[in-house]
Amino acid sequence: MDEIQVAELDLDGPDGAVLHFGPAPGGGPPVRDGGDVYALVRLRGRPAATVVCRVPPGEDPARVVAATARATLAHDLTYDLTYDREPAPVIPAELPRTSIVVATRERADQLARALDSLLAQDHPDFELVVVDNAPATSATYDLVANKYGERVRYVREPVPGLAVAHNRGIATADGAVIAFTDDDVIADPHWLTALTMSFATDPGLGCATGLILPARLRTTAQILLESHGGFAKGFTTRQYDPAHPPAGEPLFPFTAGSFGSGANMAFRATVLREIGGFDPATGTGTPARGGDDLYAFVSVLTAGHRLRYTPDALVWHHHRESWRDLTNQAYGYGAGLTAYLTAVLVRRPALLPALLRKLPAGLAHARSITAHREAGGGAVPGAHGAQDHPWPRHLSRLERRGMLAGPLGYAKARRRVRGLPLPWNERSERNERNER
């Protein structure tokens, strides 16, 4: 499967359609003459759509991609090439002080790329916290100390697990809003502003999520993942309010995967601490394999707070490259889904009646996702998309096996972290002892 070049197209820039290859900041030249291009289309600077097209050798890529983009948007009745379907949001005069937490383990090269993009944010008031999770070497500490100094706060968390690392970040953070992303992303310069501005205007907002697009589509594994769903949740702003459940979503709020993903999320700090943070028995690095973000989303909503998805908050994610990574990911998705549902049952038993009523439909919905992948249809249509490269059935079987294993994985992980205090409570207890 040939590489698909990733690009950005500003369809109505000051000099007409402008195409550059690679996610900003930086970008780069096309890697070859012609070939397939996956492009983010922007209207007046805002993410509007993605398109895939083949650029013939010798043709101007900007002209070909722009023509494809205009044809695509012209057939989308929610768009108008003169006016956006949504007015541009007004940035509040004062944005909340925000802490960005990045959990990492032994990936210093990728982490440096992510930190460079995060330090380039246009948000006026933020700090950057790196949580080094169960490190085997000093590589992450050396990177932060030698390259970034006081611009990045470093904290070590010896207990393995993504949720545990995020909880350590919550304890360290001093922001009114705490944003989380991964060490394998490149953040758009406007990401943090777009992700956090609604916290300034909506006191009932507990969580915000944003758009995740692929930074590279070089390997078969990367193209398959993006072709059959990826991490993107669309280009329409959505707000989820537990007081007004969305029509046509009878499983709400337990279809947490539709709300966003852990590589691009932010929480009001008081709300996040109020719900107990992330369940340490979930997430990458535990037998549960995932589900930490899903558990947090549902906890925020069931506590009565709103959740908002905005595509203006964009990060570019470096999907795992190897086939082995993809198989592990498929199994982990299934395990994380049922692990998070188990966590909800165990930690929030008052939700048991509602969850049991919706559980059969929820499991059917999860199975339908894998069936949809097998049938085709995803984020990268066309020459190298779902139609030509259907989702392998054995990956769907792995995902279903993961769903069966998730509850047991959660139980194993819960035994391992039993008695582990919430780190911000631990800090408060130390402060009280010092005061005495």
Side-chain angles (χ1 to χ4, degrees):
M1 196 179 298
D2 294 334
E3 175 183 355
I4 300 176
Q5 299 178 82
V6 173
E8 284 194 74
L9 173 72
D10 188 348
L11 196 57
D12 51 5
D15 300 316
V18 176
L19 180 75
H20 71 262
F21 286 87
V31 295
R32 63 179 182 277
D33 184 23
D36 294 306
V37 175
Y38 169 101
L40 167 67
V41 182
R42 292 182 184 265
L43 288 175
R44 281 163 291 287
R46 302 179 65 197
T50 55
V51 298
V52 176
C53 64
R54 175 158 289 173
V55 179
E59 292 282 341
D60 176 20
R63 184 191 64 78
V64 175
V65 177
T68 303
R70 290 192 177 97
T72 299
L73 295 180
H75 286 88
D76 185 345
L77 297 180
T78 62
Y79 270 105
D80 184 301
L81 293 185
T82 305
Y83 301 99
D84 289 340
R85 83 188 124 173
E86 299 174 2
V90 177
I91 299 175
E94 291 188 15
L95 293 172
R97 164 77 171 171
T98 300
S99 301
I100 306 173
V101 174
V102 182
T104 188
R105 187 177 191 274
E106 303 302 334
R107 299 205 295 186
D109 291 343
Q110 291 190 70
L111 176 64
R113 180 179 59 202
L115 295 181
D116 288 344
S117 71
L118 294 170
L119 288 169
Q121 294 298 299
D122 62 12
H123 191 290
D125 186 13
F126 70 93
E127 66 164 352
L128 187 49
V129 178
V130 167
V131 182
D132 197 2
N133 189 212
T137 71
S138 65
T140 299
Y141 173 81
D142 293 342
L143 170 72
V144 173
N146 296 331
K147 183 175 180 180
Y148 299 104
E150 295 182 356
R151 293 184 297 163
V152 176
R153 297 173 66 186
Y154 172 92
V155 60
R156 184 177 181 273
E157 172 49 64
V159 178
L162 182 59
V164 176
H166 279 169
N167 284 342
R168 180 60 60 187
I170 297 169
T172 304
D174 65 17
V177 172
I178 306 176
F180 298 87
T181 191
D182 291 349
D183 60 7
D184 53 3
V185 308
I186 296 175
D188 182 82
H190 190 59
W191 165 70
L192 193 62
T193 295
L195 188 65
T196 61
M197 66 171 62
S198 293
F199 289 100
T201 57
D202 181 1
L205 188 69
C207 177
T209 62
L211 178 64
I212 303 173
L213 295 179
R216 292 176 181 169
L217 293 170
R218 290 183 176 177
T219 70
T220 298
Q222 290 175 328
I223 294 170
L224 271 177
L225 177 62
E226 194 62 31
S227 296
H228 298 274
F231 297 97
K233 308 300 179 186
F235 293 87
T236 301
T237 300
R238 298 188 301 275
Q239 183 149 294
Y240 299 93
D241 188 341
H244 304 283
E249 293 191 26
L251 303 179
F252 178 85
F254 299 112
T255 51
S258 64
F259 304 148
S261 298
N264 190 352
M265 60 185 181
F267 299 82
R268 195 178 299 277
T270 53
V271 170
L272 192 53
R273 294 184 177 114
E274 170 192 307
I275 65 171
F278 298 90
D279 186 332
T282 59
T284 304
T286 73
R289 305 290 292 266
D292 50 314
D293 50 352
L294 307 183
Y295 173 83
F297 297 155
V298 171
S299 296
V300 167
L301 288 165
T302 55
H305 306 282
R306 287 186 283 276
L307 183 152
R308 183 178 178 86
Y309 168 79
T310 174
D312 290 350
L314 167 66
V315 299
W316 301 87
H317 182 262
H318 287 81
H319 299 346
R320 302 297 176 85
E321 296 186 355
S322 73
W323 187 257
R324 182 176 180 180
D325 288 333
L326 184 61
T327 58
N328 288 338
Q329 205 163 16
Y331 183 87
Y333 282 164
L337 172 64
T338 52
Y340 117 76
L341 290 171
T342 306
V344 169
L345 285 175
V346 171
R347 300 192 62 175
R348 303 187 180 276
L351 298 177
L352 177 60
L355 181 57
L356 289 179
R357 284 197 306 270
K358 299 178 179 184
L359 188 57
L363 293 176
H365 172 73
R367 287 194 296 269
S368 72
I369 293 174
T370 61
H372 173 71
R373 285 175 175 166
E374 291 173 0
V380 184
H384 290 280
Q387 293 85 350
D388 290 349
H389 300 281
W391 186 253
R393 291 184 181 277
H394 80 274
L395 292 183
S396 295
R397 290 194 293 270
L398 273 175
E399 196 165 353
R400 289 191 285 267
R401 283 173 53 191
M403 290 169 64
L404 293 173
L408 179 59
Y410 178 77
K412 290 180 178 178
R414 189 168 172 83
R415 284 197 297 271
R416 292 184 184 182
V417 299
R418 184 172 292 158
L420 186 69
L422 292 174
W424 53 92
N425 292 342
E426 189 180 53
R427 183 175 63 181
S428 298
E429 291 169 2
R430 283 199 304 268
N431 291 341
E432 290 174 5
R433 287 196 298 269
N434 291 337
E435 289 172 2
R436 288 196 298 268

